């Protein structure tokens, strides 16, 4: 059994990862290793933030570990909100974050955007990155009640429903996070 710490306390993310990597890997959350720290996340890129979180964890808790960072990039807004996705409006209130995004985009016909996830895995002194992204378009208004975050605004390319109108299974079949996690799981199964 190989034990890895995942830099999250989000039970939903843990479940998703544990299901994909299988039971040869025991994935612990931050709470399970006694980490209550506010782990620094001060990078300008998803890669930098994921790497910063995994480095912090390995340095302080001496476990092999991985960390992720995700967000939405809207082309017409210079790839905002990007690493500021969770706090775009200055708070974690997603209603406010979505309102601000719609206001900044206005009637701009260029609605192209993507969700991205980057995972940094540290095993011993080596670091590996896994990435997933999904291209799509930002709507002019919210549609759907499922998912979380910016899902009511995001329609993946080739689909007519927003992420918030899809079932969890439909979203997980194509999502940025699922693609990155599949890369991580594939790597772990081949090398460990
Ligand atoms: P932790 O860092 O505590 O795990 P978080 O909310 O910061 O949680 P992420 O780094 O994965 O989670 O994502 C940052 C923000 O990007 C998130 O708060 C959402 O606003 C947005 N986001 C990420 N993935 C999303 C998805 O699948 N659907 C909608 N919005 C998403």
């Amino acid at each position: 059994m190989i034990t890895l710490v995942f830099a999250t306390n989000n039970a939903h993310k843990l479940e998703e990862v544990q299901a994909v990597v299988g039971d040869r890997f025991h994935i612990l959350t931050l709470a399970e290793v006694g980490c209550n720290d506010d782990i620094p996340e001060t990078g300008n890129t998803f890669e930098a933030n994921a790497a910063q979180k995994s480095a912090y964890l390995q340095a302080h808790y001496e476990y092999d570990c991985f960390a992720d960072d995700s967000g939405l990039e809207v082309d017409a807004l210079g790839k905002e909100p990007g690493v500021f996705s969770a706090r775009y409006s200055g708070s974690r209130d997603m209603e406010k974050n979505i309102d601000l995004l719609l206001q900044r985009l206005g009637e701009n016909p260029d609605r192209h955007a993507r969700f991205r996830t980057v995972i940094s895995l540290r095993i011993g002194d080596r670091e590996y990155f896994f990435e997933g992204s999904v291209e799509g378009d930002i709507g002019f208004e919210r549609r759907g009640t499922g998912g979380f975050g910016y899902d009511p605004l995001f329609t993946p390319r080739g689909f007519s429903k927003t992420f918030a109108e899809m079932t969890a299974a439909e979203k997980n079949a194509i999502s940025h996070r699922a693609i990155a996690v599949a890369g991580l799981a594939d790597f772990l199964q081949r090398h460990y």
Side-chain angles (χ1 to χ4, degrees):
M1 178 87 87
I2 293 157
T3 301
L4 291 167
V5 182
F6 182 12
T8 189
N9 278 319
N10 180 328
H12 174 81
K13 281 191 187 177
L14 179 76
E15 236 172 72
E16 185 183 330
V17 172
Q18 185 71 68
V20 185
V21 298
D23 53 17
R24 274 187 48 237
F25 299 91
H26 184 208
I27 315 286
L28 300 174
T29 61
L30 293 174
E32 287 171 307
V33 295
C35 175
N36 297 308
D37 309 356
D38 195 8
I39 302 178
E41 219 178 312
T42 55
N44 293 322
T45 62
F46 301 123
E47 287 81 356
N49 280 337
Q52 192 179 16
K53 286 195 276 187
S54 65
Y56 179 95
L57 203 55
Q58 199 182 42
H60 289 75
Y61 295 90
E62 291 172 6
Y63 277 101
D64 291 334
C65 61
F66 58 95
D68 71 333
D69 195 35
S70 321
L72 179 67
E73 295 180 345
V74 180
D75 287 351
L77 300 179
K79 299 202 173 173
E80 277 187 9
V83 291
F84 304 110
S85 292
R87 308 185 139 268
Y88 192 35
S89 65
S91 86
R92 278 195 165 260
D93 182 338
M94 275 319 295
E95 294 309 310
K96 289 191 183 145
N97 292 337
I98 286 181
D99 285 342
L100 180 62
L101 187 69
L102 287 175
Q103 183 200 321
R104 293 215 168 141
L105 259 184
E107 297 301 309
N108 193 326
D110 176 9
R111 315 298 289 188
H112 190 207
R114 74 198 55 74
F115 276 120
R116 285 183 59 214
T117 294
V118 175
I119 295 173
S120 154
L121 168 71
R122 289 183 194 267
I123 305 230
D125 58 4
R126 308 200 72 157
E127 181 178 18
Y128 307 90
F129 286 98
F130 305 92
E131 170 157 8
S133 66
V134 56
E135 302 288 323
D137 291 284
I138 301 297
F140 288 86
E141 58 193 11
R142 296 163 170 82
R143 274 190 5 233
T145 54
F148 73 102
Y150 298 91
D151 282 348
L153 293 185
F154 186 83
T155 302
R157 282 277 160 91
F159 293 79
S160 54
K161 292 192 225 175
T162 67
F163 266 172
E165 292 176 307
M166 293 183 174
T167 62
E170 284 172 326
K171 179 182 168 186
N172 286 338
I174 56 171
S175 85
H176 50 307
R177 187 169 301 99
I179 294 167
V181 168
L184 169 73
D186 181 62
F187 176 87
L188 289 173
Q189 271 145 13
R190 278 189 292 115
H191 295 274
Y192 295 94

